[in-house]
Amino acid sequence: MRTKKMCAILGNVSEFQGLLPLTEERPLDTLPFDCKYRLIDFPLSSIANANINSIFMIFNDRGTRSVFDHIGGGKEWNLDSLKNSYFVYFYQDFLKQKAQGLPYYSAIIDYLEKSESEYTVFLGSNMLCAIDLRAVLKTHQKQKNKMTMVYKRMESEKLSADNRIIQVDKTGNVETIQAFDQVLEKGERLNLSMDIFIVQTKWLIEQLIIGQKNDSSTNLIEFLGERMAETQTTAYEYTGYLSNIDDVASYYQANMDMLDAKKFNALMYTKQKIYTKRKNEVPTYYSEDSSVKNSQCATGCIIEGSLDSSLISRRTIIKKGAKVKRTIVMSNAQIEEDTVIEYAILDKNVTVKAGVKISGTAKHPVVIQKNQIVETDVIGGNE
Amino acid sequence: MRTEMLAMILAGGQGTRLGKLTKKIAKPAVPFGGRYRIIDFTLSNCINSGIKNVGVVTQYQPLALNNHIGNGASWGLDGIDSGVTILQPYSSSDGEKWFEGTAHAIYQNISYIDQMDPQYVLILSGDHIYKMNYEEMLEEHIANNASLTVAVIEVPLKEASRFGIMNTDENNRIIEFDEKPAEPKSDLASMGIYIFNWGRLRNVLLNNYSKDGQMLDFGKHVIPSYLEAGENVYAYHFDGYWKDVGTIESLWEANMEFISLENELHMRDKSWRMFSKNTISPPHFITETASVSNSLVVDGCYVAGTVIDSILSTDVQVKVGSTIESSVIMPGATIGKNVKIKNAIIGENAIIGDNAVVYRENDIEVIGYSEVIGVQSDED
């Protein structure tokens, strides 16, 4: 195995207003997913599975506590051994330096130079997938273009205004690139750019040096998008599970997808193992009174009530007579007796008092914010 | 750096009474309670008691155990001043160092213990299910100015002849010790947990082995010789849940007791957590056709059948139409369609084919590791 072949940059710094209030105190990256994961586990696992041993992560300076809490020393993704490492940089520092007229990409350039890697892969956290980066690299090496980008054919209805859509020419290169809302002919399916790129590190350094002289975007996705428009780029089609998470509805749907065995297997049981922070929870207990259908649970829970098509995170207690349906429950929730909860997202540490009803709709699930104690009924979706 | 108390876990026993379950792996590595292995309880007790250095003495079929323990990181035993060391028999210029008894295993590892330079050595077995604070035991040991402290638990008098039984005076000093007596004089049983002042034990072991070498076993030889020599030997009373899982019946029973939320082990008590090596598995999936009652389920399970009063360990699959009752399904086992399992222990990675029946009247049925019963259909 040749080490230092590839290094990684992780960082989609968009604020995703549509995810509020779930992202009030955390970036999208650490949004809980499928009972025991965080969204960032997926790109980090893809990176770990490709034997990449160095990552440069860019976050907004707000709400990173949960990031550090989750990643810790990086052991779970094999980032803590002698030759492996990760670096964290705040996006706002690029902006500050740019405002002061300084060479604002210097931190990335410095990182790339020291990484001694031949290739650099860029990923964000909002395109939920389990991608084999080694396969993308192989294609990249064969095609001999400076850049390779990854796309997936997606139903138009699942796309949003600022998604980037590409067209591929006969040779497998990117022909055009447009924002979704500028695409005039919206066929049934379009090629969604997954904001995953592999580039020659040396070339990227050159481009960054030129870019920071020419007032290029501080946002690397935009920066790489601009380069894609002017450089011959290989288009790599990803055919696995993908969810494009940018608002509450798409986040809710991606979780609900996990109750579809095909989609669950396509994301969780591929060659790509998904790693997450390890916890030592006790097994989940189902009482004699419990009734559970089509649901997933993490460990550490006590289930005495009924669950239907729901996802229950660690250390949640669901008391007798409680009915939970089509709901995402994040960790450490207390759901008391005779509650009715349907089409809802309960953030961490929520308590729902006995007898309370929470009811949303599939399109507009009710979001109960972190640490809330719900004592009165909550009916209707958050618009 | 000097270690105050070094723990030595004796994990080398073959555990023949567990039959198929210990044919290929050592008893302490046998899966327990859904996501643990038996030795996790002892290792977690060590770290929770503030013990930073642990030697695990292995001998019989150690591969699974070594793999499980690794560098000790799962228990936080990989810090700058802590560690876990797997101690295998080895050959040296003095001959081969196979272990012929509990005390002999310590004698053979004197050079390791000397390297750690402890003041006290805590001797533990790797095959008991319990939560215990060894630090409290050490405090009593020091307060009593003892040379040896033996942890004891009250057992029903009719069972006492299975244990090392001791008589104590009103100050908890042990005045008599009978290993497995036919007619027990008390109900205080040794738990096989000892704290020794290392300097003294070291001398006793070295002196004896230089003469006739009869100091093989703690219960049979070392404790009686301590009493004979008039050493300060004290009992430390333990009154929590403690289970020796040395037989199929006791292993099954301990697992069944483990299911209940009222279990005296208080597994959900965060102040004394049990740690284990975590596997990488998604949350468990309970399908439309499933029914789960009074049971424990962990990560990676897929349940489409009926589960009653049972434990499903990591990555277990139970297909549609099957019923599992009062059973322990060990990690990675696959239960096909329309299977009936009752009062059984299904070994790791075993495959139970469609329509099979695993049940034996008035007995616990055991299916071995990776054993295949019947034929399994391909589709799910």
Side-chain angles (χ1 to χ4, degrees), chain A residues 34 36-37 75 259 274-275 278-286 288 290 293-297 301-302, chain B residues 33 35 78 267-268 273 275-276 278 280-286 288 290 292 294-299:
Chain A
D34 193 24
K36 58 177 285 195
Y37 300 95
K75 179 182 254 156
L259 297 176
I274 312 296
Y275 305 94
R278 290 169 192 222
K279 300 263 168 86
N280 268 279
E281 290 301 339
V282 294
T284 283
Y285 175 76
Y286 292 92
E288 277 175 34
S290 72
K293 299 286 172 217
N294 190 35
S295 294
Q296 287 186 17
C297 272
C301 302
I302 299 177
Chain B
R35 56 169 301 264
D78 63 338
M267 283 302 289
R268 281 158 210 273
R273 290 172 86 153
F275 301 94
S276 184
N278 268 309
I280 307 147
S281 293
H284 60 261
F285 199 145
I286 306 225
E288 207 72 51
V292 184
N294 188 40
S295 296
L296 297 178
V297 185
V298 302
D299 285 347

Side-chain angles (χ1 to χ4, degrees), chain B residues 20 315-319 322 324 328-337 339-341 345-358 366-379:
Chain B
K20 281 180 189 174
D315 298 333
V316 162
Q317 292 190 42
V318 180
K319 295 189 178 166
S322 290
I324 293 169
V328 184
I329 316 296
M330 289 184 175
T334 302
I335 315 298
K337 291 178 191 165
V339 170
K340 297 235 172 314
I341 297 176
I345 299 176
I346 309 294
E348 252 183 299
N349 303 318
I351 297 174
I352 312 296
D354 295 350
N355 307 310
V357 176
V358 181
V366 179
I367 306 297
Y369 302 116
S370 304
E371 204 173 315
V372 179
I373 304 290
V375 188
Q376 214 194 4
S377 58
D378 286 338
E379 93 279 32

Side-chain angles (χ1 to χ4, degrees), chain B residues 52-339:
Chain B
K52 291 179 172 166
N53 287 284
V54 180
V56 180
V57 183
T58 65
Q59 175 158 283
Y60 174 80
Q61 291 283 13
L63 288 181
L65 191 59
N66 295 357
N67 178 41
H68 182 64
I69 294 173
N71 66 350
S74 302
W75 300 269
L77 285 166
D78 63 338
I80 41 173
D81 57 351
S82 67
V84 56
T85 309
I86 309 246
L87 301 162
Q88 280 287 127
Y90 57 94
S91 36
S92 72
S93 54
D94 309 328
E96 288 184 0
K97 300 198 168 189
W98 290 93
F99 314 141
E100 291 161 39
T102 50
H104 189 236
I106 298 300
Y107 170 72
Q108 296 288 47
N109 284 298
I110 280 184
S111 45
Y112 164 72
I113 302 173
D114 282 346
Q115 198 184 312
M116 304 311 294
D117 192 18
Q119 201 165 353
Y120 307 100
V121 172
L122 169 68
I123 311 287
L124 301 162
S125 324
D127 48 10
H128 295 151
I129 304 294
Y130 67 117
K131 282 183 170 181
M132 179 170 170
N133 189 340
Y134 307 132
E135 208 174 11
E136 273 178 18
M137 181 173 168
L138 177 64
E139 278 165 19
E140 246 189 65
H141 177 84
I142 294 169
N144 287 332
N145 196 22
S147 167
L148 161 62
T149 299
V150 181
V152 298
I153 187 165
E154 281 177 32
V155 293
L157 204 57
K158 62 176 169 43
E159 284 178 29
S161 52
R162 284 172 44 211
F163 297 93
I165 295 297
M166 51 216 77
N167 291 316
T168 55
D169 69 10
E170 61 280 6
N171 299 316
N172 275 332
R173 207 165 67 87
I174 298 175
I175 42 184
E176 206 177 343
F177 183 93
D178 293 327
E179 182 69 10
K180 298 184 179 142
E183 282 172 41
K185 291 177 203 155
S186 95
D187 60 356
L188 277 188
S190 164
M191 299 164 71
I193 298 170
Y194 316 110
I195 293 177
F196 283 99
N197 292 352
W198 174 236
R200 176 69 196 159
L201 178 64
R202 189 178 187 279
N203 284 337
V204 168
L205 293 175
L206 282 174
N207 285 337
N208 274 278
Y209 281 105
S210 65
K211 288 168 195 152
D212 54 1
Q214 277 312 301
M215 206 54 89
L216 293 177
D217 192 84
F218 283 114
K220 282 190 203 117
H221 310 117
V222 177
I223 299 174
S225 90
Y226 263 65
L227 291 174
E228 230 166 86
E231 291 282 326
N232 268 340
V233 183
Y234 278 84
Y236 171 76
H237 286 263
F238 176 77
D239 60 3
Y241 182 92
W242 181 72
K243 195 110 184 173
D244 180 339
V245 286
T247 63
I248 296 287
E249 290 72 30
S250 63
L251 178 66
W252 178 82
E253 207 174 272
N255 271 291
M256 291 301 110
E257 287 165 0
F258 193 74
I259 296 172
S260 165
L261 291 178
E262 273 83 52
N263 187 319
E264 281 176 84
L265 270 176
H266 305 297
M267 283 302 289
R268 281 158 210 273
D269 172 9
K270 292 258 157 51
S271 64
W272 203 269
R273 290 172 86 153
M274 289 295 122
F275 301 94
S276 184
K277 186 175 167 181
N278 268 309
T279 46
I280 307 147
S281 293
H284 60 261
F285 199 145
I286 306 225
T287 71
E288 207 72 51
T289 54
S291 158
V292 184
S293 164
N294 188 40
S295 296
L296 297 178
V297 185
V298 302
D299 285 347
C301 291
Y302 170 87
V303 189
T306 300
V307 182
I308 305 162
D309 304 335
S310 296
I311 296 180
L312 304 187
S313 312
T314 314
D315 298 333
V316 162
Q317 292 190 42
V318 180
K319 295 189 178 166
V320 71
S322 290
T323 303
I324 293 169
E325 198 181 336
S326 304
S327 296
V328 184
I329 316 296
M330 289 184 175
T334 302
I335 315 298
K337 291 178 191 165
N338 305 316
V339 170

Side-chain angles (χ1 to χ4, degrees), chain A residues 196-222:
Chain A
I196 297 174
F197 301 92
I198 289 185
V199 297
Q200 252 77 348
T201 303
K202 221 176 120 190
W203 176 80
L204 177 60
I205 294 171
E206 288 163 14
Q207 294 300 312
L208 288 166
I209 291 171
I210 300 167
Q212 67 189 0
K213 283 184 192 146
N214 297 334
D215 202 34
S216 290
S217 172
T218 46
N219 181 332
L220 279 179
I221 293 185
E222 282 170 21

